[in-house]
Amino acid sequence: MAQAHIHVRDAEERDREAIREVLLAAYGQYEATMPAERWVEYKNNIAASVDAPGPFARLVAEREGKLVGSAVLFDSSIVAYGRDIGIESPIVRLIAVSPEARGQGVATALLRESALRAKAHGGETLHLHTSDIMASAVRLYERLGFERAYDKDIYNGDILVKSYRLHLNDAALLKI
């Protein structure tokens, strides 16, 4: 069976609720790994991110006219996280793929477009942060050429949030 084409575009106002649904469905798999109180806070923060100011780009991925993924790009760690961890280049956050669309290239398409946007925005690198509970995402990031940036790791409470960086000038992801 042929794989349906994935189209990545800028999010529009009309996409807000669909983005929120994709985010909550995508990140919902982590509910069982967190204490209930922490999950509620995490879920509320994810839902609120759709309306939060700050990103220079909000991307959505569509397949057959249905929104199946999203990602958000920020200028720096101050804008992305509200704290300075020394990242003055684009950061991609909240990469989400609907559970039914996983394994179909949606995250790769979102990350490729994020890298293109970051480079067009003047960035030499594209950063992201993730944790060990997102093991399949980490494997994807590494396969796409992201490398660990240990000096940009942060802690969220007692959880290590690992930093990854893609060098945009020689990224194979941009040559695919």
Side-chain angles (χ1 to χ4, degrees):
M1 183 167 98
Q3 184 172 316
H5 175 71
I6 299 160
H7 174 66
V8 178
R9 62 171 174 80
D10 286 305
E12 298 173 6
E13 183 65 35
R14 66 182 168 88
D15 297 320
R16 283 185 188 265
E17 286 312 309
I19 293 169
R20 200 176 331 272
E21 289 172 18
V22 166
L23 281 164
L24 293 174
Y27 285 90
Q29 75 185 66
Y30 304 113
E31 180 177 6
T33 66
M34 294 182 188
E37 194 175 285
R38 173 125 166 77
W39 167 249
V40 170
E41 179 184 350
Y42 188 61
K43 182 175 109 174
N44 290 341
N45 287 341
I46 289 169
S49 73
V50 176
D51 302 311
F56 72 82
R58 291 181 189 272
L59 304 175
V60 294
E62 291 178 321
R63 188 186 67 213
E64 298 176 351
K66 182 178 183 204
L67 199 142
V68 294
S70 65
V72 186
L73 287 158
F74 295 88
D75 285 322
S76 67
S77 56
I78 292 172
V79 180
Y81 305 115
R83 59 181 165 174
D84 187 0
I85 58 172
I87 300 174
E88 295 296 326
S89 63
I91 296 172
V92 61
R93 293 197 63 207
L94 297 164
I95 303 157
V97 176
S98 296
E100 70 274 5
R102 290 190 179 150
Q104 299 173 18
V106 176
T108 299
L110 284 164
L111 286 165
R112 181 179 300 115
E113 185 63 24
S114 294
L116 288 167
R117 300 283 182 103
K119 191 169 185 175
H121 199 67
E124 292 183 15
T125 58
L126 174 63
H127 288 259
L128 60 81
H129 285 84
T130 191
S131 63
D132 287 337
I133 64 169
M134 299 178 183
S136 62
V138 169
R139 286 190 299 276
L140 173 67
Y141 304 147
E142 290 174 345
R143 186 171 48 81
L144 294 177
F146 283 83
E147 63 185 26
R148 283 284 278 118
Y150 295 93
D151 61 321
K152 306 300 182 201
D153 288 352
I154 55 179
Y155 277 89
N156 185 357
D158 60 348
I159 298 169
L160 173 64
V161 184
K162 295 178 177 179
S163 180
Y164 284 81
R165 156 180 58 228
L166 180 71
H167 293 279
L168 297 170
N169 290 330
D170 57 355
L173 178 63
L174 296 178
K175 296 172 177 101
I176 297 173

